[in-house]
Amino acid sequence: IEMNLVPLHQDHRQWSGILIVMHDITAIRKLEKMRSDFAANVSHELKTPIAAVKGFSETLLSGALDDKETAKSFLKIIYDESDRLNRLISDILDLSKIESKAIPLDYSPIAMKEFVQKTVQMLEAQSNEKQIHISLNVNQDLYMEADEDRLRQVFINLLSNAINYTPEGGHIQISVAYLNLSEDVNDEKIRIEISDTGIGIPKKDLPRIFERFYRVDKARSRISGGTGLGLSIVKHIVDLHKGEIKVESDVGSGTTFIIDLPLVQ
Ligand code: ADP
């Protein structure tokens, strides 16, 4: 609490009292702390790949180049880590753009079936590689209003997670449907569900997975090339659309993300 004392004057010489103004600055402090935590996290996340690139190139320069096989595997690490740096930077920029609301949403009507089919196609290489089957359940004439690029980002982030955290031969199911909770036409919603038959998320981690850089298993996230920002970007986009996101999961059997969005904006 921040306190200010203001003297109250009756005339030039005499006080009639004192006004005490107290501000609850908890929220401001919290925001400041979140900002500095974020900066600390970002530098930590950036330092890890940079350290790998530096370390492995130093080793190459000081002789490892002569052994062709070693050199090749070190170069592969350097290449992958630069790739991760790239993804990190573009995710961080995306997140800060979305958070600062610098770019307003660009709403347009979206034909959902075509939209989902196209988005799934973009991830075909990844899902085919792991022989993961993706099935769709979207009505042909289902339309909704959203920012198409942002909505695509939501699908891509959730689907690439589903692919990354599902063992080979698994299954992903996407369904999009009207949600008839209300009589009011202006209150109509759309429900998007993305389920996988993957490793699942422990109950204790569920409340935290939308936090920036939060990962259940750091090592696994690194192997799959994750940045730890995918779900916080998803959550922000859903919030901007005035929607809601929920997650249900069972360790060892799979995860379902459920998103409810207004049908029209
Ligand atoms: P990452 O880049 O690490 O995947 P995200 O923000 O996308 O970061 O996800 C945060 C964490 O949530 C992941 O590290 C992972 O532990 C967990 N997670 C997200 N999606 C799934 C999923 N479909 N199945 C299992 N775990 C998941």
Side-chain angles (χ1 to χ4, degrees), residues 98 103-107 146-147 150 237 239-242 265:
I98 296 168
I103 300 170
L105 292 186
D106 179 15
Y107 289 112
D147 182 317
R150 294 293 179 214
I237 296 175
D239 285 349
L240 282 181
H241 282 83
K242 300 187 183 63
Q265 291 292 329

Side-chain angles (χ1 to χ4, degrees), residues 157-158 161-162 165 196 199-201 209 211 214-217 221 226-232 255 257:
N157 289 2
L158 291 178
N161 279 347
Y165 301 107
D196 62 57
I199 59 170
I201 302 169
I209 55 166
E211 288 173 23
Y214 190 83
R215 291 133 165 153
V216 176
D217 178 344
S221 164
T227 63
L229 290 174
L231 286 181
S232 43
T255 304
F257 284 89

Side-chain angles (χ1 to χ4, degrees), residues 38-39 41-46 84-100 153 212-213 227-230 232-233:
F38 184 53
N41 277 336
V42 166
S43 2
H44 174 79
E45 297 286 335
L46 292 176
R84 170 198 298 283
L85 262 178
N86 240 335
R87 271 197 310 276
L88 255 170
I89 291 169
S90 88
D91 274 2
I92 290 168
L93 285 178
D94 257 352
L95 194 62
S96 71
K97 259 192 270 174
I98 296 168
E99 275 189 341
S100 70
Q153 208 170 357
R212 302 150 168 163
F213 298 122
T227 63
L229 290 174
S232 43
I233 292 176

Side-chain angles (χ1 to χ4, degrees), residues 110-119 136-143 176:
I110 302 170
M112 288 306 283
K113 183 156 192 170
E114 198 192 332
F115 169 86
V116 175
Q117 277 169 338
K118 271 196 188 150
T119 311
L136 311 183
N137 181 6
V138 190
N139 214 312
Q140 181 67 48
D141 47 48
L142 190 70
Y143 279 79
V176 185

Side-chain angles (χ1 to χ4, degrees), residues 116 120 132-138 171-175 193:
V116 175
V120 167
I132 289 176
H133 182 255
I134 303 182
S135 58
L136 311 183
N137 181 6
V138 190
H171 191 105
I172 296 171
Q173 161 90 37
I174 307 172
S175 80
E193 284 184 76

